[in-house]
């Protein structure tokens, strides 16, 4: 029988396929992504990661004591990741100071904050697992189809590293532990939450490719 984290992935299989086959990832792998498209993603994801720090901090505050040091470490990795964005932004002439959050970026961050503040620890944890798993699988898709080194290689390497794979593996096994003894209806609600994150992940790639802006 599959574990809960696998069931989460079975449920939105068509959404997950759409994420992995998104033009943004295909073009990044093939080396023909327009600079402008990648730079839009870079700016918006910088905001996303920056604003994920309070999201994770709320999870830390709600965390059972045995996971606290894991959360301290996650926070430190997120902080270092901002350095990766700053370094690449400087190298590629991308302004990280005056970014207007796109509707998708803002809605996704707000949704995460809402889950963290108002939801239970396991709900927040499910959201974190979904977002990290989406990035692992997405950037793995790029890495596996890459024919040449990319100008954006450091980002590809960041979310495909051994450390990142192990972290996502830890999230998966910990999620399975956390849902032990939960009722069918609670599990269904968590799967819906996972699906919502998957949809936001799809929208995030769409946002970059379509150059989403506030229409008014
Ligand atoms: C992540 C991210 C991964 N950076 N951006 C989106 C839109 N989804 C997921 O999170 P992290 O914290 O950068 O590993």
């Amino acid at each position: 029988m599959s574990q809960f984290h696998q069931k989460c992935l079975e449920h939105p299989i068509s959404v997950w396929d759409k994420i992995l086959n998104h033009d943004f990832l295909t073009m990044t792998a093939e080396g023909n992504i327009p600079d402008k498209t990648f730079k839009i993603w870079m700016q918006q994801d910088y905001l996303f990661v920056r604003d994920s720090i309070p999201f994770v901090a709320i999870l830390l505050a709600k965390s059972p004591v045995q996971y606290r040091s894991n959360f301290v470490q996650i926070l430190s990795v997120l902080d270092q990741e901002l350095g990766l964005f700053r370094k690449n932004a400087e190298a590629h002439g991308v302004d990280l100071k005056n970014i207007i959050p796109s509707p998708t970026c803002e809605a996704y961050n707000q949704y995460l904050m809402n889950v963290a503040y108002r939801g239970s620890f396991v709900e927040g944890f499910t959201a974190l697992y979904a977002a990290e798993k989406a990035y692992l699988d997405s950037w793995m898709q790029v890495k596996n189809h890459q024919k040449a080194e990319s100008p954006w290689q450091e980002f590809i390497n960041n979310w495909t590293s051994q450390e990142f794979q192990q972290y996502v593996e830890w999230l998966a096994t910990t999620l399975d532990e956390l849902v032990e003894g939960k009722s069918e209806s609670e599990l269904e609600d968590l799967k819906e939450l996972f699906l919502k994150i998957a949809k936001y992940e799809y929208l995030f790639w769409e946002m970059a490719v379509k150059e989403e802006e506030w229409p008014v």
Side-chain angles (χ1 to χ4, degrees):
M1 221 178 81
S2 44
Q3 304 272 49
F4 179 69
H5 79 272
Q6 290 160 328
K7 289 197 184 125
C8 284
L9 286 160
E10 285 158 16
H11 183 54
I13 197 76
S14 59
V15 180
W16 215 254
D17 269 0
K18 284 199 165 118
I19 295 173
L20 299 193
N21 291 306
H22 198 280
D23 282 352
F24 184 97
L25 301 174
T26 309
M27 290 190 293
T28 305
E30 288 173 356
N32 54 14
I33 189 155
D35 255 29
K36 187 175 179 199
T37 306
F38 202 92
K39 288 176 178 178
I40 291 171
W41 168 82
M42 201 198 283
Q43 289 180 314
Q44 295 297 322
D45 211 49
Y46 175 73
L47 294 187
F48 179 86
V49 174
R50 191 192 66 185
D51 293 345
S52 298
I53 291 176
F55 161 69
V56 173
I58 299 164
L59 296 191
L60 163 65
K62 291 192 174 186
S63 165
V65 72
Q66 71 265 33
Y67 305 128
R68 270 189 209 152
S69 63
N70 298 91
F71 278 97
V72 171
Q73 213 192 327
I74 298 169
L75 287 172
S76 153
V77 170
L78 287 178
D79 195 47
Q80 285 168 38
E81 207 169 271
L82 291 178
L84 172 80
F85 278 89
R86 288 191 202 104
K87 178 174 162 238
N88 277 271
E90 198 174 324
H92 292 277
V94 178
D95 180 14
L96 293 182
K97 294 215 169 67
N98 304 299
I99 316 167
I100 297 167
S102 68
T104 293
C105 182
E106 184 163 307
Y108 190 4
N109 272 135
Q110 292 293 328
Y111 178 69
L112 288 175
M113 288 303 269
N114 191 53
V115 172
Y117 270 123
R118 298 178 52 178
S120 62
F121 175 68
V122 69
E123 285 171 323
F125 199 94
T126 303
L128 178 64
Y129 170 61
E132 300 291 31
K133 177 67 175 158
Y135 255 40
L136 173 65
D137 288 4
S138 294
W139 292 101
M140 274 295 181
Q141 180 83 347
V142 173
K143 185 145 200 151
N144 292 338
H145 291 88
Q146 249 190 306
K147 289 176 195 75
E149 180 93 356
S150 164
W152 314 110
Q153 197 63 42
E154 286 192 24
F155 291 109
I156 301 168
N157 294 346
N158 183 56
W159 288 290
T160 56
S161 68
Q162 280 289 324
E163 293 80 7
F164 191 69
Q165 290 178 45
Q166 282 163 6
Y167 161 51
V168 177
E169 199 48 49
W170 176 80
L171 290 171
T173 51
T174 306
L175 178 61
D176 291 340
E177 272 168 36
L178 288 169
V179 300
E180 267 173 37
K182 298 262 181 244
S183 68
E184 267 315 306
S185 83
E186 284 171 305
L187 296 180
E188 278 310 309
D189 289 349
L190 291 176
K191 281 201 273 179
E192 280 305 315
L193 201 158
F194 187 100
L195 180 61
K196 179 65 74 69
I197 298 287
K199 288 178 179 173
Y200 270 121
E201 287 292 335
Y202 177 81
L203 279 179
F204 213 87
W205 299 132
E206 278 286 284
M207 166 206 71
V209 168
K210 303 259 169 76
E211 301 180 13
E212 180 192 280
E213 281 178 10
W214 293 92
V216 282

